[in-house]
Amino acid sequence: NAGVMQNPRHLVRRRGQEARLRCSPMKGHSHVYWYRQLPEEGLKFMVYLQKENIIDESGMPKERFSAEFPKEGPSILRIQQVVRGDSAAYFCASSPPATWAVQETQYFGPGTRLLVL
Amino acid sequence: KQEVTQIPAALSVPEGENLVLNCSFTDSAIYNLQWFRQDPGKGLTSLLLIQSSQREQTSGRLNASLDKSSGRSTLYIAASQPGDSATYLCAVRPVTGNQFYFGTGTSLTVIP
């Protein structure tokens, strides 16, 4: 059973370009979470999605950032018109359908390291 | 809002020593607490998960304790090895909400 997969692992963009980060959850997992780790900072929650639904986007910047998890295919985190401050590691995590009101844990992917020049 | 703090930020010990990493959190209404390991340029590996009703969890040379009322957790590593060198992250899951709140980590170096 493959773990959470993210691609690309490294992404370089110039200011003003778009960045697309992909996350394929573990097999059988229908919940996806995106976190951002800025240099010298801890991981910060961005968004929680289920298939075709955004459940919680309280950590997403209001502008330029969007996320989706379509019925088919990976989850996509999209950053439009990137700026240098977007340079960070972006981690995706997944969890299986809840058997309780709250999921037990999340399984993390290797991350995508975005560098904005 | 939940705040998670980890002390120390960095720690360097000789091989074979026992060591303790500390994690504190401000809101005791947590569902669980988890310790992760992060190697440079890599993702997170789950080490131990403690439910709010539990006091400790053990796995091999690792032991994690939880004192929910005081908002503290410790990760004890016995007989440290150079392969233990990594950043150790503490994360709490609140009773309500879907995210983990992470500390900034303790960077551990075990010197051969």
Side-chain angles (χ1 to χ4, degrees), chain A residues 9 33 35 37 41-43 45 48 55-56 91 102-106 108-110 113, chain B residues 31-32 34 36 38 41-44 49 51 89 93 95 97-100 102-104:
Chain A
R9 296 289 304 275
Y33 312 78
Y35 292 81
Q37 186 176 35
E41 294 188 19
L43 276 78
F45 168 79
Y48 163 44
I55 307 301
D56 181 354
F91 290 95
V102 180
Q103 282 83 33
E104 286 290 319
T105 189
Q106 299 169 11
F108 283 79
R113 275 135 187 96
Chain B
Y31 184 70
N32 60 39
Q34 194 159 0
F36 293 88
Q38 184 177 24
K42 301 286 180 63
L44 279 66
L49 172 72
Q51 302 292 353
L89 299 171
R93 185 74 178 268
V95 170
N98 304 293
Q99 60 174 293
F100 277 108
F102 281 85
T104 51

Side-chain angles (χ1 to χ4, degrees), chain A:
Chain A
N1 187 8
V4 178
M5 300 179 70
Q6 290 187 248
N7 67 81
R9 296 289 304 275
H10 300 273
L11 182 61
V12 180
R13 285 288 179 265
R14 297 191 179 280
R15 282 180 295 170
Q17 291 184 318
E18 178 180 285
R20 281 184 180 240
L21 288 61
R22 296 175 187 78
C23 170
S24 297
M26 287 179 70
K27 187 176 181 181
H29 288 193
S30 55
H31 302 249
V32 165
Y33 312 78
W34 285 93
Y35 292 81
R36 176 167 65 174
Q37 186 176 35
L38 292 166
E40 307 302 323
E41 294 188 19
L43 276 78
K44 296 287 196 296
F45 168 79
M46 299 181 75
V47 62
Y48 163 44
L49 309 103
Q50 295 178 19
K51 286 283 187 181
E52 300 184 281
N53 281 302
I54 297 175
I55 307 301
D56 181 354
E57 56 181 347
S58 58
M60 285 275 273
K62 298 290 184 234
E63 297 178 348
R64 302 187 297 108
F65 285 72
S66 62
E68 62 177 8
F69 189 16
K71 187 176 180 180
E72 301 291 337
S75 174
I76 307 285
L77 179 66
R78 182 181 178 208
I79 311 172
Q80 295 178 291
Q81 300 176 320
V82 296
V83 300
R84 287 205 174 125
D86 297 332
S87 295
Y90 292 83
F91 290 95
C92 168
S94 72
S95 64
T99 55
W100 297 89
V102 180
Q103 282 83 33
E104 286 290 319
T105 189
Q106 299 169 11
Y107 298 84
F108 283 79
T112 293
R113 275 135 187 96
L114 172 65
L115 176 63
V116 180
L117 302 177

